[in-house]
Amino acid sequence: MERRPIILKNASIYGEKQIIEKGSIAMQDGKISGFDVDFHFGDDAEIIELPETYHIVPGMIDVHIHGAGGADTMDATFEALETIASVLPREGTTSFLATTMTQEQNKIEKALENAGLFIEAGQVEGNAETLGIHLEGPFISEKRAGAQPVGAIIEPNLELFKQWQELASGHIKLVTIAPEIEGSLEVISYLHEQNVVASIGHSDATYEEVVSGMKAGASHVTHLYNGMRGLHHREPGVVGAALLHDELTTELIADGIHVRPELISLTYRQKGNEKVVLVTDAMRAKCLGDGQYDLGGQEVTVQNETATLKDGTLAGSIIKMNTAAKNMMQFTGCTLEDIIQMTSVNPAKELNVYDRKGSLAPGKDADIVVLDEDYEVVMTFCKGNLSFRRGDET
């Protein structure tokens, strides 16, 4: 059944090639129809008049999120992924990678199989789209495990990864891996050949070892500064290599907790808007508030917007993408156009979905977010479905 067309009017539209002031954008059958033209919809269209101070931007893409709303990818159920997908539009996120974590192999396999099946057959219209899977661990360094359980870390194994990719129905799109571990370069090279993003993370690699990983095909860095060898004036480490090499796109958790605002500003100056991807690395406690939660069988305490293990180790975040975007603007002085680059364009291009996601252009998926003058989310459309409207929360 055809859906009624929707037209958003009067706000500033941040299109792929230009900003249209007091513009109009039309959606029909899940796609963007066009801008500021005679849409020929007659009386069939639903017209939504917006204040001139509002902004219409592309939906955000979170390539690193474990959970939200009490659910986690490692729960390995359709219900968990549906919960995550249903709450993300509240923060302007219209698609994401379901992110696993280091666990016993059978638990990882259940999560991968479940996510693969969910992507194929379980997605719910009107929710954020699960674009694929981010495999974070277990091919990481014990020295830089962070909140990843050390006992479940294993050496990179190409044959095992191939089995896991088959189990996931080919939907693993990004893999966090430590390039200094034996067997990693073979895996990274294979990932590159298969158009899977190889991301350096939870790594104690030296600068030279990072460069070797890059030569093998690594192109991404998982949550820069966190879970990696830091910058030293005689050993640049993972951080130094990430800042120096344009081949590497860097994730940032812009909550002001995982990385100090001053270093976020420094990173932005060095990398620019085309080589930064904002992520949340959120865990199940997002949207639920302070309390005790589970992360991979470990007790996590959430208090004052910070999630930690018993020993004080940071255990993911509870930040929302629109909050990260606002923080980034505050920390760096960047513009909304820069935010669109870091939350929509860059991840869409990395995941090879820019032909249908990541910008507002005719023919692309109608993943659209309306922001007010304070950059708070007013409405979110996922493939033309009104998925969130402020004031409608139950």
Side-chain angles (χ1 to χ4, degrees), residues 139 155-162 177-194 198 212-213 215-217:
F139 306 142
E155 288 187 350
N157 183 313
L158 180 56
E159 291 309 310
L160 179 60
F161 174 77
K162 288 180 179 179
I177 188 168
E180 74 276 16
I181 307 297
E182 184 176 351
S184 64
L185 297 184
E186 181 184 20
V187 173
I188 290 170
S189 179
Y190 177 78
L191 295 174
H192 181 66
E193 292 170 4
Q194 299 297 311
S212 295
K215 289 179 178 177

mmCIF file of all heavy atoms in Angstrom, residues 139 155-162 177-194 198 212-213 215-217:
data_model
loop_
_atom_site.group_PDB
_atom_site.id
_atom_site.type_symbol
_atom_site.label_atom_id
_atom_site.label_comp_id
_atom_site.label_asym_id
_atom_site.label_seq_id
_atom_site.Cartn_x
_atom_site.Cartn_y
_atom_site.Cartn_z
ATOM 1 N N PHE A 139 39.545 -10.089 18.969
ATOM 2 C CA PHE A 139 40.906 -10.064 18.418
ATOM 3 C C PHE A 139 41.634 -8.796 18.863
ATOM 4 O O PHE A 139 42.033 -7.969 18.036
ATOM 5 C CB PHE A 139 40.858 -10.149 16.896
ATOM 6 C CG PHE A 139 40.080 -11.318 16.347
ATOM 7 C CD1 PHE A 139 39.298 -11.178 15.201
ATOM 8 C CD2 PHE A 139 40.122 -12.560 16.963
ATOM 9 C CE1 PHE A 139 38.590 -12.245 14.678
ATOM 10 C CE2 PHE A 139 39.405 -13.641 16.460
ATOM 11 C CZ PHE A 139 38.634 -13.487 15.307
ATOM 12 N N GLU A 155 43.586 -14.772 19.932
ATOM 13 C CA GLU A 155 44.391 -14.267 18.824
ATOM 14 C C GLU A 155 43.555 -14.235 17.549
ATOM 15 O O GLU A 155 42.669 -15.084 17.350
ATOM 16 C CB GLU A 155 45.629 -15.143 18.600
ATOM 17 C CG GLU A 155 46.682 -14.994 19.679
ATOM 18 C CD GLU A 155 47.961 -15.734 19.330
ATOM 19 O OE1 GLU A 155 47.963 -16.511 18.337
ATOM 20 O OE2 GLU A 155 48.971 -15.541 20.043
ATOM 21 N N PRO A 156 43.837 -13.268 16.673
ATOM 22 C CA PRO A 156 43.110 -13.198 15.393
ATOM 23 C C PRO A 156 43.243 -14.507 14.623
ATOM 24 O O PRO A 156 44.333 -15.093 14.548
ATOM 25 C CB PRO A 156 43.817 -12.054 14.665
ATOM 26 C CG PRO A 156 44.360 -11.189 15.760
ATOM 27 C CD PRO A 156 44.768 -12.143 16.842
ATOM 28 N N ASN A 157 42.143 -14.940 14.063
ATOM 29 C CA ASN A 157 42.094 -16.231 13.368
ATOM 30 C C ASN A 157 41.239 -16.064 12.125
ATOM 31 O O ASN A 157 40.025 -15.866 12.221
ATOM 32 C CB ASN A 157 41.500 -17.285 14.315
ATOM 33 C CG ASN A 157 41.472 -18.677 13.716
ATOM 34 O OD1 ASN A 157 41.065 -18.861 12.579
ATOM 35 N ND2 ASN A 157 41.902 -19.655 14.494
ATOM 36 N N LEU A 158 41.865 -16.123 10.964
ATOM 37 C CA LEU A 158 41.152 -15.856 9.717
ATOM 38 C C LEU A 158 40.054 -16.873 9.466
ATOM 39 O O LEU A 158 38.938 -16.502 9.060
ATOM 40 C CB LEU A 158 42.126 -15.814 8.541
ATOM 41 C CG LEU A 158 41.509 -15.545 7.170
ATOM 42 C CD1 LEU A 158 40.718 -14.241 7.163
ATOM 43 C CD2 LEU A 158 42.583 -15.515 6.087
ATOM 44 N N GLU A 159 40.337 -18.128 9.682
ATOM 45 C CA GLU A 159 39.319 -19.156 9.421
ATOM 46 C C GLU A 159 38.126 -18.981 10.350
ATOM 47 O O GLU A 159 36.974 -19.174 9.945
ATOM 48 C CB GLU A 159 39.934 -20.556 9.565
ATOM 49 C CG GLU A 159 40.938 -20.900 8.482
ATOM 50 C CD GLU A 159 40.387 -20.657 7.073
ATOM 51 O OE1 GLU A 159 39.256 -21.130 6.786
ATOM 52 O OE2 GLU A 159 41.077 -20.001 6.272
ATOM 53 N N LEU A 160 38.400 -18.613 11.592
ATOM 54 C CA LEU A 160 37.307 -18.381 12.538
ATOM 55 C C LEU A 160 36.477 -17.188 12.086
ATOM 56 O O LEU A 160 35.244 -17.233 12.128
ATOM 57 C CB LEU A 160 37.854 -18.139 13.944
ATOM 58 C CG LEU A 160 36.817 -17.867 15.031
ATOM 59 C CD1 LEU A 160 35.858 -19.052 15.180
ATOM 60 C CD2 LEU A 160 37.504 -17.566 16.366
ATOM 61 N N PHE A 161 37.153 -16.122 11.645
ATOM 62 C CA PHE A 161 36.391 -14.969 11.172
ATOM 63 C C PHE A 161 35.520 -15.351 9.982
ATOM 64 O O PHE A 161 34.355 -14.914 9.898
ATOM 65 C CB PHE A 161 37.289 -13.797 10.783
ATOM 66 C CG PHE A 161 36.497 -12.673 10.155
ATOM 67 C CD1 PHE A 161 35.740 -11.829 10.941
ATOM 68 C CD2 PHE A 161 36.429 -12.542 8.762
ATOM 69 C CE1 PHE A 161 34.954 -10.835 10.371
ATOM 70 C CE2 PHE A 161 35.649 -11.547 8.187
ATOM 71 C CZ PHE A 161 34.914 -10.695 8.993
ATOM 72 N N LYS A 162 36.032 -16.129 9.056
ATOM 73 C CA LYS A 162 35.236 -16.546 7.895
ATOM 74 C C LYS A 162 33.993 -17.312 8.344
ATOM 75 O O LYS A 162 32.900 -17.114 7.798
ATOM 76 C CB LYS A 162 36.082 -17.404 6.952
ATOM 77 C CG LYS A 162 37.146 -16.628 6.191
ATOM 78 C CD LYS A 162 37.946 -17.557 5.288
ATOM 79 C CE LYS A 162 39.004 -16.807 4.489
ATOM 80 N NZ LYS A 162 39.807 -17.720 3.633
ATOM 81 N N ILE A 177 40.272 -4.529 15.750
ATOM 82 C CA ILE A 177 41.340 -5.513 15.850
ATOM 83 C C ILE A 177 42.639 -4.812 16.243
ATOM 84 O O ILE A 177 42.852 -3.647 15.904
ATOM 85 C CB ILE A 177 41.492 -6.272 14.504
ATOM 86 C CG1 ILE A 177 42.456 -7.450 14.614
ATOM 87 C CG2 ILE A 177 41.882 -5.323 13.370
ATOM 88 C CD1 ILE A 177 42.407 -8.387 13.399
ATOM 89 N N ALA A 178 43.490 -5.511 16.987
ATOM 90 C CA ALA A 178 44.796 -4.982 17.395
ATOM 91 C C ALA A 178 45.845 -5.467 16.393
ATOM 92 O O ALA A 178 46.116 -6.669 16.310
ATOM 93 C CB ALA A 178 45.144 -5.452 18.803
ATOM 94 N N PRO A 179 46.459 -4.559 15.620
ATOM 95 C CA PRO A 179 47.342 -4.981 14.529
ATOM 96 C C PRO A 179 48.650 -5.608 14.975
ATOM 97 O O PRO A 179 49.332 -6.249 14.167
ATOM 98 C CB PRO A 179 47.599 -3.673 13.766
ATOM 99 C CG PRO A 179 47.437 -2.604 14.781
ATOM 100 C CD PRO A 179 46.344 -3.095 15.700
ATOM 101 N N GLU A 180 49.021 -5.435 16.253
ATOM 102 C CA GLU A 180 50.296 -5.970 16.729
ATOM 103 C C GLU A 180 50.208 -7.441 17.109
ATOM 104 O O GLU A 180 51.239 -8.113 17.294
ATOM 105 C CB GLU A 180 50.788 -5.161 17.938
ATOM 106 C CG GLU A 180 50.054 -5.404 19.255
ATOM 107 C CD GLU A 180 48.783 -4.582 19.419
ATOM 108 O OE1 GLU A 180 48.288 -4.052 18.399
ATOM 109 O OE2 GLU A 180 48.275 -4.480 20.553
ATOM 110 N N ILE A 181 48.992 -7.976 17.230
ATOM 111 C CA ILE A 181 48.814 -9.368 17.650
ATOM 112 C C ILE A 181 49.089 -10.307 16.474
ATOM 113 O O ILE A 181 48.700 -10.040 15.334
ATOM 114 C CB ILE A 181 47.394 -9.599 18.184
ATOM 115 C CG1 ILE A 181 47.045 -8.577 19.279
ATOM 116 C CG2 ILE A 181 47.235 -11.020 18.706
ATOM 117 C CD1 ILE A 181 47.914 -8.659 20.503
ATOM 118 N N GLU A 182 49.726 -11.422 16.753
ATOM 119 C CA GLU A 182 50.053 -12.398 15.703
ATOM 120 C C GLU A 182 48.782 -12.855 14.984
ATOM 121 O O GLU A 182 47.785 -13.198 15.624
ATOM 122 C CB GLU A 182 50.771 -13.613 16.309
ATOM 123 C CG GLU A 182 51.232 -14.625 15.274
ATOM 124 C CD GLU A 182 52.018 -15.781 15.870
ATOM 125 O OE1 GLU A 182 52.354 -15.726 17.080
ATOM 126 O OE2 GLU A 182 52.298 -16.742 15.133
ATOM 127 N N GLY A 183 48.838 -12.845 13.673
ATOM 128 C CA GLY A 183 47.696 -13.250 12.858
ATOM 129 C C GLY A 183 46.802 -12.106 12.431
ATOM 130 O O GLY A 183 45.940 -12.275 11.558
ATOM 131 N N SER A 184 46.997 -10.925 13.016
ATOM 132 C CA SER A 184 46.096 -9.808 12.722
ATOM 133 C C SER A 184 46.246 -9.275 11.299
ATOM 134 O O SER A 184 45.254 -8.920 10.661
ATOM 135 C CB SER A 184 46.307 -8.676 13.723
ATOM 136 O OG SER A 184 47.608 -8.131 13.602
ATOM 137 N N LEU A 185 47.470 -9.188 10.811
ATOM 138 C CA LEU A 185 47.678 -8.590 9.489
ATOM 139 C C LEU A 185 47.014 -9.422 8.397
ATOM 140 O O LEU A 185 46.481 -8.880 7.422
ATOM 141 C CB LEU A 185 49.172 -8.413 9.205
ATOM 142 C CG LEU A 185 49.914 -7.458 10.160
ATOM 143 C CD1 LEU A 185 51.368 -7.293 9.720
ATOM 144 C CD2 LEU A 185 49.221 -6.106 10.230
ATOM 145 N N GLU A 186 47.027 -10.736 8.563
ATOM 146 C CA GLU A 186 46.347 -11.613 7.601
ATOM 147 C C GLU A 186 44.838 -11.341 7.619
ATOM 148 O O GLU A 186 44.193 -11.249 6.566
ATOM 149 C CB GLU A 186 46.618 -13.075 7.944
ATOM 150 C CG GLU A 186 45.973 -14.055 6.966
ATOM 151 C CD GLU A 186 46.164 -15.504 7.376
ATOM 152 O OE1 GLU A 186 46.451 -15.769 8.574
ATOM 153 O OE2 GLU A 186 46.004 -16.383 6.506
ATOM 154 N N VAL A 187 44.288 -11.185 8.815
ATOM 155 C CA VAL A 187 42.853 -10.901 8.938
ATOM 156 C C VAL A 187 42.536 -9.526 8.349
ATOM 157 O O VAL A 187 41.564 -9.361 7.606
ATOM 158 C CB VAL A 187 42.400 -10.988 10.406
ATOM 159 C CG1 VAL A 187 40.943 -10.526 10.548
ATOM 160 C CG2 VAL A 187 42.558 -12.408 10.934
ATOM 161 N N ILE A 188 43.355 -8.524 8.680
ATOM 162 C CA ILE A 188 43.122 -7.165 8.171
ATOM 163 C C ILE A 188 43.153 -7.143 6.655
ATOM 164 O O ILE A 188 42.307 -6.511 6.005
ATOM 165 C CB ILE A 188 44.165 -6.189 8.757
ATOM 166 C CG1 ILE A 188 43.907 -5.975 10.251
ATOM 167 C CG2 ILE A 188 44.129 -4.847 8.026
ATOM 168 C CD1 ILE A 188 45.013 -5.216 10.966
ATOM 169 N N SER A 189 44.120 -7.844 6.070
ATOM 170 C CA SER A 189 44.224 -7.895 4.609
ATOM 171 C C SER A 189 42.973 -8.515 4.001
ATOM 172 O O SER A 189 42.440 -8.031 2.988
ATOM 173 C CB SER A 189 45.463 -8.693 4.215
ATOM 174 O OG SER A 189 45.577 -8.776 2.808
ATOM 175 N N TYR A 190 42.482 -9.574 4.624
ATOM 176 C CA TYR A 190 41.263 -10.223 4.124
ATOM 177 C C TYR A 190 40.060 -9.297 4.261
ATOM 178 O O TYR A 190 39.237 -9.197 3.331
ATOM 179 C CB TYR A 190 41.016 -11.521 4.899
ATOM 180 C CG TYR A 190 39.752 -12.225 4.500
ATOM 181 C CD1 TYR A 190 39.689 -12.987 3.328
ATOM 182 C CD2 TYR A 190 38.595 -12.122 5.279
ATOM 183 C CE1 TYR A 190 38.523 -13.638 2.951
ATOM 184 C CE2 TYR A 190 37.428 -12.759 4.909
ATOM 185 C CZ TYR A 190 37.397 -13.518 3.743
ATOM 186 O OH TYR A 190 36.232 -14.155 3.363
ATOM 187 N N LEU A 191 39.949 -8.614 5.389
ATOM 188 C CA LEU A 191 38.840 -7.682 5.579
ATOM 189 C C LEU A 191 38.846 -6.624 4.486
ATOM 190 O O LEU A 191 37.798 -6.294 3.912
ATOM 191 C CB LEU A 191 38.938 -7.007 6.953
ATOM 192 C CG LEU A 191 38.789 -7.907 8.178
ATOM 193 C CD1 LEU A 191 39.067 -7.119 9.449
ATOM 194 C CD2 LEU A 191 37.409 -8.538 8.238
ATOM 195 N N HIS A 192 40.026 -6.084 4.206
ATOM 196 C CA HIS A 192 40.150 -5.058 3.164
ATOM 197 C C HIS A 192 39.695 -5.590 1.812
ATOM 198 O O HIS A 192 38.961 -4.906 1.080
ATOM 199 C CB HIS A 192 41.601 -4.584 3.100
ATOM 200 C CG HIS A 192 41.850 -3.512 2.086
ATOM 201 N ND1 HIS A 192 41.307 -2.245 2.187
ATOM 202 C CD2 HIS A 192 42.563 -3.526 0.926
ATOM 203 C CE1 HIS A 192 41.692 -1.521 1.149
ATOM 204 N NE2 HIS A 192 42.441 -2.277 0.376
ATOM 205 N N GLU A 193 40.090 -6.812 1.495
ATOM 206 C CA GLU A 193 39.684 -7.431 0.219
ATOM 207 C C GLU A 193 38.176 -7.596 0.139
ATOM 208 O O GLU A 193 37.590 -7.512 -0.948
ATOM 209 C CB GLU A 193 40.358 -8.798 0.061
ATOM 210 C CG GLU A 193 41.870 -8.746 -0.141
ATOM 211 C CD GLU A 193 42.485 -10.127 -0.049
ATOM 212 O OE1 GLU A 193 41.717 -11.121 0.088
ATOM 213 O OE2 GLU A 193 43.726 -10.225 -0.111
ATOM 214 N N GLN A 194 37.548 -7.835 1.282
ATOM 215 C CA GLN A 194 36.107 -8.107 1.334
ATOM 216 C C GLN A 194 35.272 -6.843 1.564
ATOM 217 O O GLN A 194 34.063 -6.932 1.779
ATOM 218 C CB GLN A 194 35.818 -9.127 2.439
ATOM 219 C CG GLN A 194 36.483 -10.476 2.246
ATOM 220 C CD GLN A 194 35.995 -11.186 0.999
ATOM 221 O OE1 GLN A 194 34.786 -11.299 0.773
ATOM 222 N NE2 GLN A 194 36.917 -11.677 0.182
ATOM 223 N N ALA A 198 38.396 -2.486 8.525
ATOM 224 C CA ALA A 198 39.288 -2.949 9.586
ATOM 225 C C ALA A 198 39.651 -1.757 10.449
ATOM 226 O O ALA A 198 40.207 -0.769 9.964
ATOM 227 C CB ALA A 198 40.539 -3.586 8.995
ATOM 228 N N SER A 212 52.041 -0.794 9.804
ATOM 229 C CA SER A 212 51.919 -2.121 9.181
ATOM 230 C C SER A 212 50.459 -2.507 9.010
ATOM 231 O O SER A 212 50.076 -3.077 7.982
ATOM 232 C CB SER A 212 52.643 -3.172 10.035
ATOM 233 O OG SER A 212 54.029 -2.926 10.065
ATOM 234 N N GLY A 213 49.656 -2.202 10.016
ATOM 235 C CA GLY A 213 48.224 -2.469 9.916
ATOM 236 C C GLY A 213 47.574 -1.672 8.800
ATOM 237 O O GLY A 213 46.720 -2.178 8.061
ATOM 238 N N LYS A 215 49.089 -0.575 6.081
ATOM 239 C CA LYS A 215 49.544 -1.144 4.810
ATOM 240 C C LYS A 215 48.764 -2.409 4.461
ATOM 241 O O LYS A 215 48.547 -2.718 3.282
ATOM 242 C CB LYS A 215 51.045 -1.434 4.873
ATOM 243 C CG LYS A 215 51.900 -0.177 4.873
ATOM 244 C CD LYS A 215 53.381 -0.512 4.970
ATOM 245 C CE LYS A 215 54.235 0.752 4.917
ATOM 246 N NZ LYS A 215 55.682 0.447 5.080
ATOM 247 N N ALA A 216 48.339 -3.133 5.504
ATOM 248 C CA ALA A 216 47.529 -4.339 5.272
ATOM 249 C C ALA A 216 46.091 -4.001 4.905
ATOM 250 O O ALA A 216 45.381 -4.836 4.343
ATOM 251 C CB ALA A 216 47.560 -5.235 6.508
ATOM 252 N N GLY A 217 45.656 -2.761 5.233
ATOM 253 C CA GLY A 217 44.305 -2.355 4.840
ATOM 254 C C GLY A 217 43.467 -1.713 5.917
ATOM 255 O O GLY A 217 42.311 -1.357 5.671
#
